[in-house]
Amino acid sequence: SNRNKYNGSAGVNYRNGKINAYANYSFRYNPLYGNGTMMRENFFTDSTWYLNQYSNSQGTPVANIVKTGFDLFLNDNNTIGFSTTYNRKSDLDAQTIEYQNLDFSKTLTALSFREIEEKEISENLDVVANIKHLFNKQKQTITADFSYSHSQEKSSEKFSQQDFFTNYTPKPVNPSLQSTFNERKYSLATFQSDYVHPLREGSKMEMGMKGIVRGIENDFLFENFDYPSNDWKTDSLRNTNYLFRE
């Protein structure tokens, strides 16, 4: 059995004397399952106590990748190349954690369950273009290369924690509800040009230029649910808004 894991790909290519063009697509569906146990013993206080955690999780990531491009041979001296790659990934994760507090005799004294639901979507785009010119003089060349990369990721999490009696019946109190939203962006553009001029046999002169533009953004929002007002309240102490350019 493949445990519901699937992947596939397809591609096409065309070539003649002047152009080489191609396109590829790939797909991947890879559900993940996990569980964990953590046992903690605290003996630095007057009395020893224990904290046990048991977790179960399930994730369903889906990935799609598309790549296209071409190489154009204008003549014996000039070549143009271009390619672009787009990658999109989505993921839905669910996790349940059981917290057990025990006293020095390992008798259960407190119990709670925490449920976490996370959604995530990420997208990446890469573009590359280049030009190459060969002069009539052997090994004399000039090239120009441009690349651009942009990635964006959006994720949200919802938390719900409910206290229970030690007989595993829920306490008559509202669960604690929290939520987060995070959006991250990253972009990078690079331009580079190089010139090679042969001199005497075994020597050459090289010169070039390079420029880089980079940007980073990160927004984080944290909210708590307020039962008296029946509304979500923003926690300004945990929120961040980061912006970087160069």
Side-chain angles (χ1 to χ4, degrees), residues 153-209:
E153 181 179 310
K154 296 181 179 180
S155 62
S156 62
E157 290 182 301
K158 294 182 179 179
F159 306 89
S160 174
Q161 185 157 332
Q162 176 71 59
D163 291 330
F164 282 71
F165 293 109
T166 55
N167 63 356
Y168 282 82
T169 58
K171 291 185 176 181
V173 294
N174 291 321
S176 172
L177 302 178
Q178 298 172 325
S179 71
T180 66
F181 176 79
N182 192 201
E183 182 175 9
R184 296 175 289 272
K185 296 180 181 179
Y186 177 81
S187 60
L188 176 67
T190 304
F191 174 79
Q192 181 171 339
S193 181
D194 296 289
Y195 173 72
V196 179
H197 187 92
L199 300 174
R200 296 179 180 180
E201 185 176 353
S203 63
K204 60 183 178 180
M205 178 183 66
E206 296 183 1
M207 63 180 66
M209 60 178 294

Side-chain angles (χ1 to χ4, degrees), residues 39-44 48-52 106:
M39 297 182 176
R40 183 188 308 170
E41 179 181 355
N42 185 0
F43 47 82
F44 289 106
T48 302
W49 56 271
Y50 304 88
L51 173 63
N52 297 338
K106 294 188 177 181

